[in-house]
Amino acid sequence: MESTMANNPDIIHAGENVFIRMPSDNVKCVLLKPNTTISLGKFGSFKVNDILGKAWGNTYEIYDRDNKIRTYIPDEMNEVEETENNNREIVDNRASQTLSVAEIKALKSEGLRGELTGEEIVNKLKESHAAFDKKTAYSQAKYLQKKGKKFHKIFTPIKPTTYTVNEYFYIKNPAKIRDIRMDTLSQLLSFSNIHPGCNVLVVDDTQGMVVSAIAERMGGKGKILGIYDGDNPHYDVVKYMNFSQEIQDTIKVLSWLRIHRGPDEKSPDELQDVTQLTGKDLEGYHRRLKAYTIVEESRKILFEAKFDALVIASQYQPESIMEKLLQYVQGSRPVVVYHPSKEALLETSTWMRKSPDLLNPQLTESWLRKSQVLPGRTHPEMSTWGGGGALLSATRVIDFPVQAALTKRERLAMERQNTEAKKAKRTREEEEKSSGDAEASGTTTTTTTTTMSTTDATAGEDAGDGHERESKRPKQE
Amino acid sequence: MAETSIQKQSFAQYKANNTIEEGDHVIAYLNRETMQLIKVQSNKTFHCKYGNFRHDDMIGLEYGSKVGANATSGGRGFLYLLYPTPELWTLILPHRTQILYVADISFVMNSLQLRPGMSMIESGTGSGSFSHSLARTLGPQGHLYTFEYHEERAKAAKKEFEEHGVSDWITVQCRDVCKDGFNLENKVDAVFLDLPAPWDAVLSAKKAFKQDKMGRICTFSPCIEQISRTVLALKDHGFAEIQMFECLLRTQDIRVIPMWTIDEATEKQRAFENKRKRRAQERGGTKKQRQSDGEVDNDGAKAEAPLTGTDDDSVANSPQTVDNGADAGTTDSSAVGTPTTSLSEQGDATSLVSTPVSTPVLNKSVDVSTPEPRERIDPKNLTVTRLPTEQPGHTSYLLFATFVPRVSTKEDSQ
């Protein structure tokens, strides 16, 4: 029973990272240490123990002088009744609020001490607002909401999931996760067909945002191998996800430097004879052995796992990564590249189009808009997101030599052959025509023919269609 | 060669061995627009305009393999054999209704915060596009309850799920949920409503949620008026965090365009004019002769005297460039929006030459040992993207809300 409680992802546990949403809509990330108090600044403080073991999804109000909390039902969705008011009479002037700044401050500190509730403060402000009654109903609602965001002492613990963690970092520090937005990330997961039990090869420079999203979708079944550069993988985002051990165990890493065993790389057993070691040396041996075993295990995964997807969200040139890693991906499996700027993927797309191992590369960008949906007040939000990044996805294929048709490699070779043949033929004709002119023309290529065959190749690829290519293929001899 | 897999093929997960076996479904990729689902059965043949493809040739191949048409039937085409995934199925499925596409599918799944092992409701089933993606994401440990009030559609979906190896964790029910509810209590983690009147199903959805934990609901409606009514229903039934999104996916076309400077363009124009003059002067020559002259020159046959003797630098190159223009023009002369036709044709050709094959061309112009430099004008190439002229501008509004868990009396008393 104890252990099932500890694994239940639906309730709040001690030691977890949690996002706390405040009335201002700001979100704060906190680590829940038992027996401590978390301060939310002007929105008060609450005791961690009060939310431990509770289900996610509730909103709490801080009340009383002792920072007690109770569940709170937000009432922002109230319908607004139309009135005759309009803003003709309203003069923008500080005098409409009859309370002085000092008085408002005093109310605020009373609120913080728990002597007044947020609602009471807002009501006081409303009552002492000379022009409140003149406002339109919409304006009144907006005023109350705005003031509420300042004085209500309510908060909502938010469970870290791919969506919420991504949203948090996208708003707070987009550079950290290389600007990948919820919608783009969700498409990345779809395009790469992530599901429980698959093996995924990842190059993730989004500080682990992509790895986290994949790990959540796999739910502890399958393998993720992250190839990293530098001393450590820096999958910082993963720690916010509160993953169970089972899920954490699916994430393995391997440094680019360690993919192949270097000539000077020796196992601890080759370096030292363990039977001769004592004390500190023995400890050192075990440390090295552990590190060595981890690398060996990751290598084994890379070479033997047969990957079901290659996901690249790297700062490095994607082609250079694919050249190294594509060989480990099985046939009919997706290859998905993310980059914050689509321009960075244009050359990659051209490269993919030419590669016989990749089919149908598609460059996509996502557009996302959020709207306010209050009854009678529905409209798109006034400020929206900038870019969410671009995805380039293709399918790994096996370029089998087939009898009837030619593989892309063969076709290119044949075109080259044809060119040579035509050129040779023309040279012969020339020689016949201007016999005696022994000028060597064997080393040059006819530009006309070259261009023609290139045109064919590109046209075929643009259409993404082998058959069109076939039909345009220059006839053999 | 083909190991027998214990596992039945499923659209929602890969097979342990990645081999095409008898009875498997395979997606034949003919080109970007044409894909077709085929069921592999020995002694059968798949016919399409690119030839006849024997199923026996497919069995034993790795998924993703290229397969050629049966040579004896004279086919010269080929196709790729792809593993059926929810994403591919969405592109080729028979439409019984309007369907959800990958942008909405992905965003909804992410925002509903689905994890493997969860249970959820989908209504209506429609053509089963979203159902396949959901089955993939929830996994065999999870469960999808999908509802469809149209009997024929429900039957077709049920059959499809069985065929596609996902029926173990999808339950299809033919039921009008707006009238009769879901008849599920305390069962699901998420609800997706794609109904004409989702507000009528909100109360029943509320009951279906696991009552002691947070849940997420999404309604999918094309019209804003539907959203307004649903918002009120959600609010009345105590749902929180009501938010609305729209999501569109834009596929970019990529192409290489030449970026001429005006000086280069002028130079080109001058070359054309000079060529025209020269041709006018060559009154005696037949068309055929002129062409062969041009080609000889092209070949870099070290500049025959009559041509190199002319006073223009780029004349020697002109026949070649004209030819290029014509070739490229047949493929796609309208692709480049440069002001004059001659330039745009030329532009295409040049952009296409920008492959390794063009190296000999450059070498040639350097090699030429004539007194006059004969530089070929190579403009700077630019890789650009553009959006297709016509693209989706709206699919539906995605309305999300959170089911707030029941608060136990113990908690209230605190």
Side-chain angles (χ1 to χ4, degrees):
Chain A
M1 191 63 204
E2 193 67 33
S3 71
T4 53
M5 279 298 280
N7 286 330
N8 183 355
D10 302 324
I11 58 170
I12 304 172
H13 298 286
E16 287 184 339
N17 285 289
V18 173
F19 299 119
I20 304 289
R21 191 175 49 231
M22 295 172 282
S24 55
D25 280 337
N26 282 338
V27 175
K28 182 176 178 164
C29 182
V30 294
L31 181 67
L32 295 182
K33 285 185 204 141
N35 309 319
T36 56
T37 299
I38 286 169
S39 163
L40 305 174
K42 64 176 175 183
F43 304 113
S45 324
F46 68 93
K47 291 191 277 290
V48 168
N49 291 9
D50 287 346
I51 62 165
L52 293 181
K54 298 250 172 84
W56 298 98
N58 276 309
T59 296
Y60 299 95
E61 181 179 28
I62 303 168
Y63 72 103
D64 210 10
R65 291 171 200 221
D66 196 25
N67 291 329
K68 283 183 188 159
I69 57 168
R70 59 187 169 206
T71 48
Y72 177 84
I73 291 137
D75 204 15
E76 63 196 31
M77 296 304 261
N78 271 342
E79 261 176 279
V80 175
E81 269 174 52
E82 286 280 357
T83 58
E84 296 276 290
N85 289 347
N86 58 41
N87 65 6
R88 196 184 304 164
E89 309 270 291
I90 294 176
V91 187
D92 185 19
N93 130 11
R94 289 241 173 136
S96 32
Q97 179 54 263
T98 52
L99 288 177
S100 72
V101 177
E103 282 168 320
I104 295 174
K105 259 193 177 162
L107 282 176
K108 215 169 170 178
S109 48
E110 270 181 73
L112 260 186
R113 286 197 300 273
E115 287 158 8
L116 277 177
T117 67
E119 215 160 316
E120 285 165 335
I121 300 175
V122 174
N123 275 336
K124 283 203 165 148
L125 287 172
K126 181 182 113 180
E127 280 158 18
S128 50
H129 191 295
F132 188 81
D133 293 337
K134 289 186 195 158
K135 285 172 181 283
T136 64
Y138 295 110
S139 175
Q140 285 177 350
K142 203 168 166 187
Y143 178 87
L144 292 179
Q145 196 190 353
K146 213 166 98 190
K147 295 299 164 196
K149 281 183 177 184
K150 274 188 174 163
F151 298 105
H152 279 163
K153 288 174 23 179
I154 57 174
F155 70 96
T156 314
I158 300 171
K159 179 180 165 59
T161 60
T162 296
Y163 188 85
T164 57
V165 169
N166 186 209
E167 188 180 34
Y168 175 78
F169 285 113
Y170 187 80
I171 291 165
K172 211 97 175 171
N173 186 4
K176 182 184 175 105
I177 54 165
R178 287 177 66 74
D179 305 280
I180 191 163
R181 198 175 55 199
M182 303 79 100
D183 48 334
T184 314
L185 184 60
S186 72
Q187 288 150 16
L188 180 146
L189 293 171
S190 287
F191 291 149
S192 47
N193 194 22
I194 304 296
H195 57 263
C198 63
N199 296 329
V200 188
L201 191 52
V202 197
V203 185
D204 180 1
D205 289 338
T206 61
Q207 300 247 16
M209 185 69 248
V210 169
V211 164
S212 303
I214 294 172
E216 187 186 66
R217 277 288 169 90
M218 290 178 30
K221 297 195 170 62
K223 289 190 198 78
I224 302 169
L225 183 63
I227 311 288
Y228 68 93
D229 70 308
D231 293 337
N232 287 299
H234 297 298
Y235 293 162
D236 183 58
V237 175
V238 175
K239 74 170 190 238
Y240 292 90
M241 299 285 294
N242 304 328
F243 280 141
S244 66
Q245 194 59 42
E246 192 191 10
I247 294 181
Q248 283 179 43
D249 288 347
T250 55
I251 307 173
K252 306 281 182 205
V253 292
L254 181 63
S255 159
W256 283 107
L257 291 176
R258 302 278 170 271
I259 288 184
H260 295 290
R261 196 173 165 176
D264 51 346
E265 188 187 327
K266 290 196 168 69
S267 76
D269 284 316
E270 284 168 327
L271 287 171
Q272 286 161 312
D273 183 359
V274 64
T275 52
Q276 304 296 309
L277 296 176
T278 50
K280 272 215 167 114
D281 287 343
L282 190 65
E283 276 173 34
Y285 165 83
H286 283 296
R287 216 174 32 245
R288 277 189 295 278
L289 185 69
K290 200 180 161 196
Y292 182 80
T293 319
I294 290 173
V295 172
E296 281 297 304
E297 276 172 8
S298 293
R299 270 182 194 151
K300 197 166 152 26
I301 293 173
L302 178 66
F303 298 141
E304 294 172 11
K306 292 187 177 170
F307 288 94
D308 294 314
L310 171 59
V311 180
I312 300 171
S314 172
Q315 55 185 312
Y316 300 108
Q317 195 204 30
E319 296 95 298
S320 64
I321 293 170
M322 281 186 269
E323 268 164 7
K324 292 204 162 51
L325 298 184
L326 209 51
Q327 54 181 309
Y328 304 113
V329 182
Q330 301 194 89
S332 194
R333 297 296 191 265
V335 174
V336 182
V337 187
Y338 166 80
H339 201 281
S341 312
K342 72 167 183 290
E343 289 78 7
L345 297 177
L346 300 186
E347 295 302 319
T348 312
S349 171
T350 314
W351 181 89
M352 280 176 145
R353 221 165 261 285
K354 283 184 189 144
S355 165
D357 303 322
L358 291 167
L359 185 66
N360 194 13
Q362 300 245 34
L363 180 66
T364 54
E365 268 192 311
S366 186
W367 176 91
L368 184 68
R369 183 163 75 170
K370 189 177 174 185
S371 293
Q372 167 185 303
V373 277
L374 297 175
R377 287 158 288 169
T378 298
H379 61 73
E381 290 203 338
M382 295 306 174
S383 73
T384 183
W385 300 284
L391 291 174
L392 178 61
S393 47
T395 306
R396 167 90 157 95
V397 288
I398 313 294
D399 191 31
F400 251 132
V402 290
Q403 275 190 336
L406 297 166
T407 65
K408 205 184 257 186
R409 273 194 197 98
E410 285 172 336
R411 186 169 45 74
L412 289 174
M414 211 187 74
E415 272 162 17
R416 234 171 285 130
Q417 244 178 23
N418 284 351
T419 315
E420 296 281 315
K422 272 189 190 163
K423 189 192 63 199
K425 192 178 161 199
R426 205 163 296 134
T427 315
R428 266 199 311 281
E429 283 169 4
E430 272 164 39
E431 276 166 1
E432 280 162 24
K433 215 173 62 180
S434 55
S435 57
D437 187 358
E439 197 75 58
S441 55
T443 50
T444 52
T445 319
T446 44
T447 319
T448 321
T449 330
T450 314
T451 316
M452 220 172 69
S453 52
T454 321
T455 310
D456 280 343
T458 320
E461 279 150 30
D462 277 347
D465 173 1
H467 312 282
E468 230 167 273
R469 253 180 273 158
E470 282 311 299
S471 60
K472 279 180 190 154
R473 180 161 55 88
K475 295 272 183 298
Q476 207 150 3
E477 76 276 320
Chain B
M1 181 160 176
E3 314 156 35
T4 29
S5 62
I6 314 138
Q7 192 189 344
K8 188 183 174 243
Q9 187 200 33
S10 164
F11 280 33
Q13 46 188 186
Y14 295 123
K15 295 203 304 180
N17 67 353
N18 193 30
T19 313
I20 299 170
E21 289 164 300
E22 167 96 35
D24 276 7
H25 286 95
V26 169
I27 290 179
Y29 177 100
L30 280 60
N31 59 44
R32 200 182 290 173
E33 283 80 33
T34 327
M35 284 179 257
Q36 208 176 321
L37 187 75
I38 48 182
K39 188 168 185 174
V40 178
Q41 287 162 306
S42 49
N43 300 322
K44 285 218 168 173
T45 308
F46 171 64
H47 306 274
C48 67
K49 60 176 173 176
Y50 301 127
N52 304 323
F53 297 81
R54 284 168 40 201
H55 289 196
D56 287 322
D57 292 345
M58 304 175 186
I59 293 172
L61 290 179
E62 181 179 353
Y63 276 97
S65 294
K66 190 175 183 177
V67 68
N70 189 355
T72 52
S73 64
R76 282 161 52 85
F78 58 84
L79 43 80
Y80 290 96
L81 303 171
L82 302 183
Y83 193 92
T85 63
E87 277 62 44
L88 287 175
W89 179 242
T90 290
L91 297 176
I92 60 169
L93 57 81
H95 285 219
R96 297 184 283 266
T97 53
Q98 289 233 329
I99 64 161
L100 266 78
Y101 289 99
V102 68
D104 289 322
I105 286 174
S106 309
F107 190 74
V108 171
M109 289 196 302
N110 194 10
S111 195
L112 289 180
Q113 306 182 19
L114 301 183
R115 287 194 312 269
M118 278 187 169
S119 297
M120 74 173 281
I121 285 173
E122 179 202 27
S123 181
T125 314
S127 308
S129 165
F130 193 28
S131 318
H132 280 77
S133 290
L134 289 173
R136 184 258 322 272
T137 301
L138 299 173
Q141 313 299 319
H143 203 91
L144 175 67
Y145 300 92
T146 183
F147 296 85
E148 171 62 53
Y149 68 169
H150 190 284
E151 200 175 333
E152 287 307 308
R153 285 206 288 263
K155 271 186 192 158
K158 196 158 191 245
K159 196 167 158 250
E160 239 170 45
F161 298 148
E162 275 162 20
E163 277 279 297
H164 298 171
V166 289
S167 55
D168 286 355
W169 64 103
I170 300 185
T171 313
V172 189
Q173 281 183 59
C174 182
R175 175 194 277 272
D176 183 352
V177 296
C178 289
K179 260 172 47 199
D180 307 326
F182 297 104
N183 196 25
L184 288 172
E185 267 178 41
N186 202 13
K187 265 275 192 310
V188 301
D189 301 278
V191 171
F192 176 77
L193 303 177
D194 177 5
L195 298 167
W199 50 88
D200 285 334
V202 167
L203 179 61
S204 179
K206 188 184 175 183
K207 286 183 192 152
F209 274 107
K210 290 178 185 165
Q211 298 295 303
D212 293 327
K213 64 161 294 233
M214 189 190 89
R216 295 277 290 164
I217 186 170
C218 173
T219 75
F220 182 87
S221 309
C223 302
I224 198 75
E225 289 80 5
Q226 293 170 299
I227 292 292
S228 300
R229 287 190 69 172
T230 316
V231 166
L232 289 178
L234 288 169
K235 181 206 144 216
D236 287 346
H237 292 111
F239 285 84
E241 287 182 79
I242 303 179
Q243 292 182 325
M244 189 180 87
F245 291 92
E246 293 154 87
C247 186
L248 296 172
L249 188 67
R250 289 173 166 170
T251 306
Q252 304 274 354
D253 283 344
I254 299 177
R255 47 173 56 123
V256 178
I257 58 161
M259 194 48 96
W260 298 79
T261 65
I262 191 64
D263 291 335
E264 286 163 344
T266 321
E267 196 61 27
K268 193 96 259 169
Q269 189 61 32
R270 191 170 294 138
F272 273 112
E273 276 179 17
N274 284 331
K275 193 188 122 195
R276 224 176 286 139
K277 271 186 221 157
R278 180 173 56 81
R279 286 208 168 168
Q281 282 163 8
E282 289 175 14
R283 269 169 241 116
T286 63
K287 197 185 172 193
K288 203 171 183 185
Q289 261 177 331
R290 279 206 302 275
Q291 261 180 0
S292 71
D293 280 356
E295 278 189 3
V296 168
D297 187 54
N298 250 341
D299 278 353
K302 301 309 164 197
E304 288 185 325
L307 279 178
T308 47
T310 53
D311 52 2
D312 187 86
D313 296 353
S314 40
V315 163
N317 264 324
S318 311
Q320 160 218 328
T321 47
V322 170
D323 284 350
N324 287 353
D327 286 339
T330 58
T331 62
D332 191 9
S333 62
S334 59
V336 179
T338 34
T340 66
T341 331
S342 59
L343 267 186
S344 72
E345 287 183 356
Q346 179 57 32
D348 255 8
T350 324
S351 68
L352 292 164
V353 176
S354 68
T355 54
V357 210
S358 67
T359 330
V361 181
L362 296 173
N363 288 345
K364 192 205 72 178
S365 48
V366 176
D367 283 350
V368 175
S369 53
T370 46
E372 305 272 2
R374 328 156 131 211
E375 266 178 62
R376 198 193 134 87
I377 303 173
D378 273 328
K380 195 179 153 211
N381 282 330
L382 211 60
T383 312
V384 294
T385 60
R386 78 173 85 168
L387 291 167
T389 335
E390 200 183 318
Q391 49 174 324
H394 176 63
T395 51
S396 272
Y397 295 107
L398 306 171
L399 185 67
F400 294 96
T402 297
F403 169 79
V404 181
R406 178 172 60 191
V407 181
S408 68
T409 40
K410 194 181 122 212
E411 266 178 49
D412 267 344
S413 66
Q414 278 183 352

